[in-house]
Amino acid sequence: MKKSVKVLLYSLFGLILLFILLIGFVWLQQDSIKQYAIKQLNEQLSAPVSVSSIDITFIEQFPRVSLLLNDVVIQDKLRSKRNLLQAKRIFIAFNLYDILTRQYNIKLIEADSGYCHLFINEKGKANYTIVKETEAGSEDIFLSLKHISLRNINIIFEEPQAKQFYDIDAHDVLLSGNFSGKKESLSASGALTVNRLKSGIQLIKNKPIDIDIALDIDESQSLYSLSKGNIRLGSLDLKCTGTVINKAKATELNLSFHAAKLSITDLLELFPGSLANSFKEYKSEGNIYFTGLIKGKVSASTQPEINLQFGVENGTLTARGQNISLSHIQCKGEFSNGSKHNLQTSSLNLPSLTFQLGSGQMEGSLMVNDFSNPFINLKLKGSSALSDVIQFTQSQWIEKADGTLQFDIAVKGNLNNLKSKQGFLGTESQGHIVMDATDIVFKKGNKSIERIQTDFSLTGKDLSINQFKASIDKSDIVVSGTLENIVPYLLSENQQLTADITYKSDYINLEHLILPIPAAPNTKSTFALPEHISVKANVSIAELVLNHFQAYKINGIVHWKGKTIETQGIQAETMKGKVTLRGKVENTADGKFHVVSSIDCKKTDLNEMFRQCNNFGQAAITDKHIRGVLNANIDMGGEWDSKMECNLDKLYASGDIHIINGQLLNYEPLEALSKYVNVEDLRDLKFADLKNKIDISKRTIRIPSMDVNNNAMNLTISGTHTFDNFMDYHLRIKLSELLSKKRRTKTNDFNEEETADGIFLYLSMKGPADNLKFSYDKKGAREQLKENLKKEGEAAKNIWKKELGIEKDETIKEKQTDNDELEFEQE
């Protein structure tokens, strides 16, 4: 036992001693090794090489001896001021036996941290053919090269003439084989990232790749034969074989490939940008398989033949976080770029496509020809539960809905023509959509729709509304008619939509129709009428309600043409009378809405009008104060902005009003007249007949002079009333009326009644409604005096002057006494 241990120790000691001797020998020979290696590199490479320093190491490539070249630069022999390769470190490895025998043949080259820029110019010359041909019998240090290793090297390949551009990061790639001679057999394996891959068009971008390939190279024919090509692109396992012949003006391809057991989302990950991002919220199961062929020349003017057969077996597509899926997806298809190998001759054919959404079954087919101007032939039919559709599409504003959706649609024609009215006339499109939805609940608010039933037919460019019924709370909607040119209008801009519809309702509460549909993000809350619309709507509503407002037997025709909506007469029974509305709304270029209307009221109840119209938004005179029957014809106009806010400065109205059996109850501003009239009479002011013309402009109501005959005191009134509830009224009261209301009639010394016929009191009522001030109206008296003087002829005035001998009027002038009593004028 002891003898065995001794033998082992002696052997180990001998090996260590031998290793030390070898290291010593190499150390002694390092200068000659360095000089020899640099000399041979410069003699056998046609491009200048520069390094900052050279070291010898045993550790990095043990058991090989390696030269470590630091900061290596190989210049580009075709492009000045450009480099073919730049690396932080390059290891050149030799066998120990080669060192001992001084046969310095390179076994391995490893490049670390840098880039390699490969380039082929318009003459077909490559910048990477830098190894000189050696004469027979001469030394070749690359003769025994078996491995090239790349670590963290960015590789760019450019061939502008053939429109080829590859940008690849080699993270850890090993190339093995015979690198000397005209014919080489190589293998490559490792991990890459394809930053960008273009062959005429962009094929791949920012995708990880693992490779395991075997390649035979015949440099005399520029022939690359791929006997094994296992490529894992993301989650795609692709197997490829074939040949590539790299000629001066074109690259000839003859490659076949196939993949199996590929998931739907794995395939979608191959696509760049937004298309792949659209499916990030979905996961899939099932298999996609495809086989393909790429054959022909690739150059600036030609593309190879491409054929691809593919299919999906038992596929499933599920939105993340949801339980509902597109399931049992089955399809087969074929893609070809056609006889001329371009977009014009390309076609995609899916003769059979079936899938399920929940328990609903769908089936269809699709054919697309000429990808430069696609011609499609699409057929799709099926049925599904609405709850499944809402859940799968992850609706942003519908919480849930029950019911079913059935459809059968077919579209055949040029895809670009679908965007124009005239072009769409040449397509063959038809379809039938039936929906019966119940218990539709919205995510925002507490609104819901009990039921919607639809039956639509699509023929060519037109949509027929065979039936549209909706029940919303207690409201009902029934619509029928035709929407002409509806598909081009929806698909493209500047297309005209023409509609002729009939709208009927037994009961409508407008509050029920205000549904919580959210606005699009980052959009202003504005409203504008679409321009390319022409609609004729025949409206018939048995009962309409909005808050307190109620109207019955509403009938009329509404014309909507572009930016203008107009009606020549909508009639309704409301407020115990009848109302006829005529008008026009015009949406101008500056975004504003100009409204012009005429309202004819017949025998409408004033109390109901104020109550149902929420007292017109003011609190001065409300439905608690007003009674009577109104006949009126009012013309009005105004301007609203895009947020539907009225510009009160530009609101105007003018109308003739006639109030019969009017009554003003408990109107506090009138109690200020209690100094002159019995207050109880003022609290129940009655007038049998009142006619006048009212004007509204610049936020002010203007009331021309009118006689108000009532139970309290007959008077004449005129003035203004602003929207801010500021009053400026002028009152003329006959003194006889005033005296009869305030005291009993007195007799004079001759037992005759004293009267004040022809004598008037002029009052001014001015101020806010809750703080009115009364004063003697000097201006009113003067204006009345001027009016009277105008009515008197000059001849009559001359007679008065001659007969009475007076030069001045004896009309009593105003005199304000210290105790605030008034004196009066006599007409």
Side-chain angles (χ1 to χ4, degrees), residues 213-227:
I213 62 176
L215 184 66
D216 294 326
I217 302 175
D218 185 347
E219 290 187 2
S220 62
Q221 301 182 43
S222 297
L223 173 63
Y224 302 84
S225 299
L226 187 65
S227 58

Side-chain angles (χ1 to χ4, degrees), residues 96-135:
L96 277 173
Y97 180 78
D98 293 338
I99 298 294
L100 294 175
T101 60
R102 296 189 178 184
Q103 299 292 323
Y104 300 115
N105 292 316
I106 298 173
K107 306 299 183 182
L108 176 144
I109 295 177
E110 179 179 303
D112 184 16
S113 301
Y115 68 84
C116 181
H117 198 154
L118 310 177
F119 175 75
I120 299 176
N121 64 14
E122 65 277 2
K123 297 180 180 180
K125 292 184 177 181
N127 69 343
Y128 49 84
T129 56
I130 60 174
V131 179
K132 298 177 182 178
E133 295 184 7
T134 57
E135 297 179 358

Side-chain angles (χ1 to χ4, degrees), residues 78-79 82 117-128 156-167 197-201 222 224 244-253 297-303:
L78 298 181
R79 298 177 295 178
R82 303 287 293 272
H117 198 154
L118 310 177
F119 175 75
I120 299 176
N121 64 14
E122 65 277 2
K123 297 180 180 180
K125 292 184 177 181
N127 69 343
Y128 49 84
I156 294 177
F157 173 79
E158 283 186 278
E159 188 177 359
Q161 288 295 105
K163 294 185 178 181
Q164 305 295 302
F165 182 85
Y166 313 146
D167 182 355
L197 180 62
K198 288 185 66 176
S199 179
I201 60 173
S222 297
Y224 302 84
V244 177
I245 302 176
N246 192 13
K247 295 185 176 181
K249 294 185 178 180
T251 299
E252 292 186 8
L253 305 177
K297 295 181 179 180
V298 179
S299 68
S301 57
T302 61
Q303 293 295 327

Side-chain angles (χ1 to χ4, degrees), residues 417-422 424-425 427 429-431 433 456-465 481-501 530 532-535:
N417 286 350
L418 294 176
K419 300 178 181 180
S420 66
K421 179 178 179 180
Q422 296 301 322
F424 195 82
L425 294 175
T427 64
S429 301
Q430 59 184 4
I433 302 172
F456 297 151
S457 295
L458 177 67
T459 305
K461 60 186 176 62
D462 303 331
L463 179 70
S464 296
I465 305 175
T482 302
L483 305 180
E484 299 180 3
N485 206 50
I486 179 65
V487 177
Y489 176 79
L490 294 175
L491 292 179
S492 183
E493 297 180 354
N494 302 322
Q495 294 299 309
Q496 186 71 26
L497 172 64
T498 302
D500 189 348
I501 62 174
H532 302 287
I533 282 184
S534 180
V535 178

Side-chain angles (χ1 to χ4, degrees), residues 396-397 442-448 513-519:
Q396 297 298 311
W397 53 282
F442 295 91
K443 290 184 177 179
K444 296 185 178 180
N446 56 0
K447 297 291 183 179
S448 62
L513 303 184
I514 303 174
L515 299 175
I517 300 176

Side-chain angles (χ1 to χ4, degrees), residues 7 108 140 145 157 165 167 274 277 281 341 382 388 415 461 471 501 512 601 639 685 710 728 755 774 794:
V7 172
L108 176 144
D140 186 352
L145 179 63
F157 173 79
F165 182 85
D167 182 355
S274 58
N277 292 334
E281 297 302 318
H341 309 163
D388 293 339
L415 185 61
K461 60 186 176 62
S471 299
I501 62 174
H512 298 162
C601 300
E639 180 183 277
L685 188 67
N710 58 79
D728 186 1
T755 65
F774 284 83
E794 291 297 328

